[in-house]
């Protein structure tokens, strides 16, 4: 709690200006001195490529505006200077291919300063980039750093504490230190146990006025993919997303219509990515949700403050799923930094109390969406309704529910009490042959969406005709040349070492003892 309070107070030093993109830029630092780099390399590359193909395909403001990638070998090296993710998937793929081609186990000794130097260099690069782009009207002013390492996370934090004391950290929002553990096999049902926590836990460390989030993770594709997918969430904390309005006098029928309302301030979070937001939709006709529609809510981008007024309580067993529609959203207590700390704390406790009481009573809530403003955009106000469902966690689920106008007539014939044995036997046999699982786990299913999106995004990097003679260069050198073309004023800093991949592999091979 203290670490979050320190962070909140630190962020209040910034002016509350309206920003174009509140998503932080990303620096990924990969420590390849790990003894298990052989396995980590392949799963990390696949997880990173899968996530970034989604980021490049989603319509609307880019959820990962800028990305930079460092590797730490015997010294740090910048494989990808800050690059805009949208429209640059080919360049990102070239960088990931370079990552895959790095030498494997045993090539590099573990040294403690490489990661810290990469952090310092990345912050300097971001500072230079921000100065240049500020003239063009860009307001992307914060960065988060993720460090993947097999070293002890506690030792890594100590190094960061010691080395970053004199470094300008104004633009740094958070550092994640992810200790990747080697495991030869992981059952699918165990995957969720090693997913990254979306909210900082007791492993958070508060130093220098910002968060260091320490996590431990298995080195498998799904775990790392879920880590990178947290980048796709909305990180804007300028204001809350949703006001949940409850009658202060309870749910009694005798409650007067104009009873003062209790307001819980909440944030919305996507549970699923909306397929309509994927620019590479299979049929090519999908489009993003219309934020002005009275019958839709959207958690991304969070540009609208929604108000849901609770009008009734419902028994949980009395809601038919056939009348629910649209994508579900997660409701959480807000983390808006503009609220006072005491207000945030009271709001959070009230939210938890609501979740607990709904579970105890086995209730759901029926809520009506209030109009956004009083301007007569609609001559007649159209109301939409939502069901709010409690869960065992400190979150609520909200989903749109049909009203009278949307409902179509349906007839449900009664189920026959008896049926001929000649049909009963084959049906029972078919059902008995099915594998039965206790619960549905979406991590068990693949739709080939990643492959499809990569194929639609694939655009081979090419050179202008006047540079064609460069094709005679070794392939390794060409790959590095493509991956290190920096934006304006983004020349590599003096501490970076940029060498052709072939030279690096030769040097690595010379460092290995002879088998003779």
């Amino acid at each position: 709690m203290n670490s979050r309070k320190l962070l909140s107070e630190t962020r209040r030093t910034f002016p509350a200006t309206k920003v174009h993109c509140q998503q932080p830029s990303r620096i990924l630092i990969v420590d390849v001195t790990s003894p298990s780099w052989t396995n980590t390399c392949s799963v990390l590359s696949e997880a990173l490529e899968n996530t970034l193909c989604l980021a490049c395909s989603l319509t609307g403001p880019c959820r990962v505006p800028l990305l930079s990638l460092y590797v730490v070998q015997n010294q740090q090296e910048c494989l990808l200077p800050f690059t805009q993710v949208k429209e640059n998937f080919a360049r990102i793929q070239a960088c990931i291919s370079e990552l895959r081609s790095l030498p494997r186990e045993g090539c590099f000794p573990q040294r403690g300063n490489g990661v810290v130097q990469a952090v310092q260099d990345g912050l300097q690069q971001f500072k230079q980039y921000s100065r240049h782009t500020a003239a063009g009207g860009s307001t992307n002013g914060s960065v988060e750093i993720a460090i993947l390492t097999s070293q002890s996370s506690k030792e890594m934090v100590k190094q960061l504490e010691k080395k970053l004391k004199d470094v300008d950290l104004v633009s740094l929002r958070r550092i994640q230190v992810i200790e990747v553990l080697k495991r030869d096999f992981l059952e699918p049902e165990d995957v969720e146990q090693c997913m990254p926590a979306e909210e900082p836990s007791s492993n958070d460390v508060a130093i220098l006025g910002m968060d260091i989030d320490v996590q431990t993770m298995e080195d498998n594709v799904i775990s790392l993919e879920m880590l990178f997918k947290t980048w796709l969430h909305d990180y804007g904390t300028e204001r809350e997303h949703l006001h949940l309005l409850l009658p202060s006098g309870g749910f009694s029928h005798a409650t007067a219509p104009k009873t003062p309302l209790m307001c819980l301030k909440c944030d919305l979070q996507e549970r699923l990515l909306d397929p309509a937001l994927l620019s590479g939709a299979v049929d090519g006709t999908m489009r993003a949700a219309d934020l002005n529609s009275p019958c839709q809510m959207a958690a991304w981008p969070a540009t609208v403050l929604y108000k849901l007024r609770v009008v009734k309580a419902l028994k949980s067993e009395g809601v038919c799923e056939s009348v629910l529609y649209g994508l579900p959203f997660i409701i959480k207590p807000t983390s808006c930094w503009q609220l006072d700390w005491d207000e945030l704390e009271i709001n959070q406790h009230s939210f938890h109390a609501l979740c607990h009481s709904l579970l105890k009573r086995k209730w759901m809530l029926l809520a009506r969406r209030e109009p956004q403003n009083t301007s007569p955009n609609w001559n007649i106000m159209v109301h939409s309704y939502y069901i709010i469902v409690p869960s065992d966690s400190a979150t609520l689920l909200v989903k749109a529910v049909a009203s009278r106008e949307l409902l179509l007539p349906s007839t449900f014939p009664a189920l026959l009490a008896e049926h001929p044995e000649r049909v009963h036997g084959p049906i029972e046999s078919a059902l008995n042959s099915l594998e039965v699982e206790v619960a549905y786990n979406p991590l068990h299913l693949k739709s080939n969406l990643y492959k499809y999106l990569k194929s639609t995004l694939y655009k081979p990097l090419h050179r202008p005709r006047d540079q064609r003679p460069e094709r005679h260069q070794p392939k390794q050198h060409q790959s590095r040349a493509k991956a290190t073309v920096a934006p304006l004023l983004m020349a590599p800093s003096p501490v970076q070492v940029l060498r052709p991949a072939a030279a690096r592999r030769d040097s690595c091979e010379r460092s290995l003892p002879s088998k003779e």
Side-chain angles (χ1 to χ4, degrees), residues 470-491:
E470 292 186 14
R471 70 176 183 270
H472 299 295
Q473 296 174 351
K475 288 185 178 179
Q476 294 90 340
H477 183 76
Q478 290 182 14
S479 176
R480 176 56 52 83
K482 297 172 194 172
T484 56
V485 178
L488 293 175
L489 299 183
M490 284 299 296

Side-chain angles (χ1 to χ4, degrees), residues 43 68 339 342 411:
V43 297
S68 181
L339 300 181
D342 291 339
T411 57

Side-chain angles (χ1 to χ4, degrees), residues 311-347:
V311 294
K312 280 185 181 179
L314 303 170
K315 293 288 186 179
S316 297
E317 64 272 14
V319 178
C320 178
E321 292 191 17
S322 68
V323 297
L324 303 179
Y325 67 93
L327 289 176
F329 292 104
I330 305 296
I331 301 179
K332 306 188 299 182
T334 186
S335 56
C336 174
W337 62 265
Q338 298 198 59
L339 300 181
D340 292 334
W341 177 251
D342 291 339
E343 184 180 358
L344 277 174
E345 191 170 28
I346 293 174
N347 185 76

Side-chain angles (χ1 to χ4, degrees), residues 156-225:
M156 185 70 66
V157 169
K158 289 180 181 179
Q159 294 174 27
L160 293 169
E161 282 184 301
K162 183 178 179 181
K163 298 291 184 180
L164 297 182
K165 288 182 179 179
D166 301 323
V167 178
D168 182 8
L169 302 178
V170 172
S171 60
L172 180 59
R173 179 181 291 192
R174 182 176 63 155
I175 294 180
Q176 286 179 291
V177 178
I178 300 101
E179 186 177 349
V180 182
L181 302 178
K182 182 178 181 180
R183 185 171 177 180
D184 295 330
F185 181 77
L186 186 70
E187 293 289 343
E189 55 266 28
D190 297 332
V191 169
E192 292 201 28
Q193 298 179 7
C194 62
M195 285 186 186
E198 294 175 359
E199 288 293 331
S201 62
S202 58
N203 291 330
D204 283 4
V205 181
I207 64 167
L208 310 173
M210 56 86 193
D211 283 345
I212 293 185
D213 181 13
V214 179
Q215 298 180 12
T216 302
M217 189 164 298
E218 302 283 353
D219 61 346
N220 62 78
V221 175
I222 295 179
S223 295
L224 290 172
E225 188 179 299

Side-chain angles (χ1 to χ4, degrees), residues 221-240:
V221 175
I222 295 179
S223 295
L224 290 172
E225 188 179 299
M226 289 300 171
L227 168 71
F228 296 138
K229 277 186 175 179
T230 61
W231 297 354
L232 304 180
H233 279 310
D234 179 17
Y235 279 80
T237 56
E238 289 292 313
R239 66 176 184 180
E240 60 271 24

